Amino acid sequence: NAVAPLAVAGTAQRRAAVIMVRSRFAFIPVLFSIVVFLYESVVYNVVFGFRILPAVDKDYLQAVFLIVFNILWVLAAWSYLATRCAEPGRIPDRWDAFVHQATGTLSVGTNKGGFQPGKITSCKKCHGRVRPERAHHCSICDHCVLRMDH
């Protein structure tokens, strides 16, 4: 079967190329979000705060509206950046230590995709790494991560 290793090598090369393209363009969603945040701030502050409110004789509300909006805007931007820069929730090292210690007593189920309550599975993409029941392989960061953490 000389064809099978070639097919696997071709698949691995294609996967590596996809990961490289994804990592090269990973900044685009972040850049788009930052542009939306900045656009929102400029439009609200300039158009609403300094054009619309004075035009309808509501100058006395201008300071209150701008202060409240900008405080909420800073909190939203801070939350976005904190979430974007946070660790995606990889499987902890203590899990690997537990698996190594409990070798032979753990029953590793077959990976059927989707959530399998109470079953420890192995990851095909991480070369058979044993993962807890609530983990899946993330195609974006190319690691196994805990569900609901990423």
Side-chain angles (χ1 to χ4, degrees):
N1 266 342
V3 176
L6 291 176
V8 171
T11 303
Q13 288 172 347
R14 273 186 262 128
R15 181 161 174 74
V18 167
I19 290 170
M20 185 178 70
V21 168
R22 281 185 184 167
S23 64
R24 230 179 234 173
F25 296 109
F27 73 94
I28 291 175
V30 176
L31 181 65
F32 177 75
S33 299
I34 290 171
V35 167
V36 168
F37 267 109
L38 293 175
Y39 177 77
E40 174 188 37
S41 176
V42 169
V43 167
Y44 188 88
N45 286 314
V46 173
V47 175
F48 183 73
F50 294 110
R51 300 272 171 113
I52 294 176
L53 284 177
V56 294
D57 295 327
K58 302 283 184 179
D59 293 329
Y60 60 93
L61 294 174
Q62 187 177 23
V64 174
F65 281 6
L66 292 177
I67 289 170
V68 169
F69 172 80
N70 285 306
I71 287 173
L72 293 175
W73 184 86
V74 167
L75 289 173
W78 181 270
S79 296
Y80 172 74
L81 291 174
T83 303
R84 182 69 180 121
C85 297
E87 177 66 28
R90 294 187 178 151
I91 297 172
D93 292 335
R94 66 178 186 255
W95 170 258
D96 292 327
F98 168 74
V99 169
H100 183 69
Q101 182 183 14
T103 302
T105 59
L106 292 176
S107 62
V108 179
T110 58
N111 185 9
K112 297 178 183 174
F115 183 59
Q116 298 176 17
K119 294 201 179 198
I120 297 171
T121 58
S122 62
C123 180
K124 294 175 188 174
K125 296 176 184 173
C126 290
H127 308 293
R129 180 181 185 197
V130 178
R131 59 187 182 195
E133 66 174 305
R134 64 188 191 283
H136 73 284
H137 189 87
C138 176
S139 61
I140 294 172
C141 65
D142 200 37
H143 293 290
C144 284
V145 295
L146 298 174
R147 286 191 205 280
M148 306 302 178
D149 280 351
H150 184 71

